[in-house]
C-alpha cells in the first residue's frame, strides 16, 4: 500500500466546499478563520529549487527539461527522502511540462515526513501558506512563511 502526502497553497482551498473540509478536519494546526488572499503560484523551477534547498532527494515523477531532483543515494537511509514526487498545475490535472508552469500541488509518495516538513517551509517562501495532508485527509497542517522549524515539529502529526 502506498502512502501519500499532499501539499498545496492554502489560498487554493478558499472555495466553500474546500474551506468547509479544511476547517472541519479531525485534527488541524495553523488553519485561520478565513482563507488567506491569493498569491501567485510558484513555477516548477521555484518548486524544484525549494525541494533541493529543503534538503530533499527522491524520484521525480515529472519530466521537465532542465529540472532535476537529486536522486536517492544508492544506500538511501530515508533521511532526506521525499519518495516519488509529482508536480501538478492548476489549469489541468496533468503533471507540469515546462519550468515556467505554475504548480498548484505537490505529491510525495512514500516520503520521510520530517523531510516533507523542511521542504514545505521552503515552499512557503515562493507560494505562501501551505496545507499538508495525507491520504486519509482527516488531518490538515498549515505552515506559514517564516515559522521556525522548532515550533512546527512540536505539533507535526506525522
Amino acid at each position: 500500500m502506498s502512502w501519500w502526502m499532499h501539499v498545496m497553497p492554502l489560498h487554493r482551498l478558499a472555495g466553500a466546499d474546500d474551506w468547509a473540509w479544511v476547517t472541519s478536519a479531525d485534527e488541524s494546526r495553523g488553519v485561520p478563520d478565513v482563507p488567506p488572499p491569493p498569491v501567485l503560484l510558484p513555477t516548477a523551477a521555484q518548486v524544484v529549487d525549494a525541494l533541493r534547498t529543503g534538503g530533499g532527494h527522491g524520484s521525480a515523477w515529472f519530466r521537465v527539461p532542465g529540472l532535476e531532483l537529486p536522486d536517492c543515494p544508492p544506500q538511501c537511509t530515508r533521511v532526506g527522502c521525499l519518495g516519488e514526487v509529482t508536480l501538478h498545475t492548476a489549469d489541468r490535472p496533468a503533471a507540469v511540462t515546462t519550468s515556467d508552469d505554475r504548480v498548484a500541488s505537490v505529491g510525495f509518495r512514500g516520503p520521510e515526513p520530517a523531510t516533507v516538513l523542511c521542504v514545505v517551509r521552503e515552499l512557503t517562501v515562493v507560494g505562501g501558506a501551505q496545507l499538508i495532508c495525507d491520504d486519509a485527509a482527516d488531518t490538515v497542517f498549515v505552515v506559514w512563511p517564516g515559522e521556525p522549524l522548532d515550533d512546527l515539529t512540536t505539533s507535526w502529526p506525522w
Side-chain angles (χ1 to χ4, degrees), residues 24-133:
S24 68
D26 292 344
E27 292 183 48
S28 67
R29 184 249 176 231
V31 177
D33 292 334
V34 296
V39 297
L40 188 62
L41 293 173
T43 65
Q46 290 173 311
V47 169
V48 172
D49 186 52
L51 299 178
R52 286 190 207 118
T53 303
H57 61 264
S59 177
W61 278 29
F62 54 89
R63 294 189 193 277
V64 178
L67 292 185
E68 310 278 322
L69 180 63
D71 287 328
C72 287
Q75 302 300 326
C76 183
T77 61
R78 305 289 303 151
V79 174
C81 189
L82 295 170
E84 298 163 345
V85 180
T86 60
L87 307 178
H88 296 276
T89 63
D91 58 341
R92 61 186 185 274
V96 300
T97 56
T98 73
S99 61
D100 292 329
D101 280 349
R102 297 287 170 177
V103 177
S105 65
V106 182
F108 303 98
R109 181 175 176 245
E112 195 277 314
T115 304
V116 172
L117 180 59
C118 291
V119 164
V120 170
R121 285 186 67 240
E122 296 298 327
L123 285 173
T124 67
V125 174
V126 294
Q130 301 287 310
L131 178 136
I132 308 154
C133 65

Side-chain angles (χ1 to χ4, degrees), residues 10 14 19-20 22-23 30-36 144:
L10 183 59
W19 197 249
V22 169
T23 59
V31 177
D33 292 334
V34 296
W144 292 86

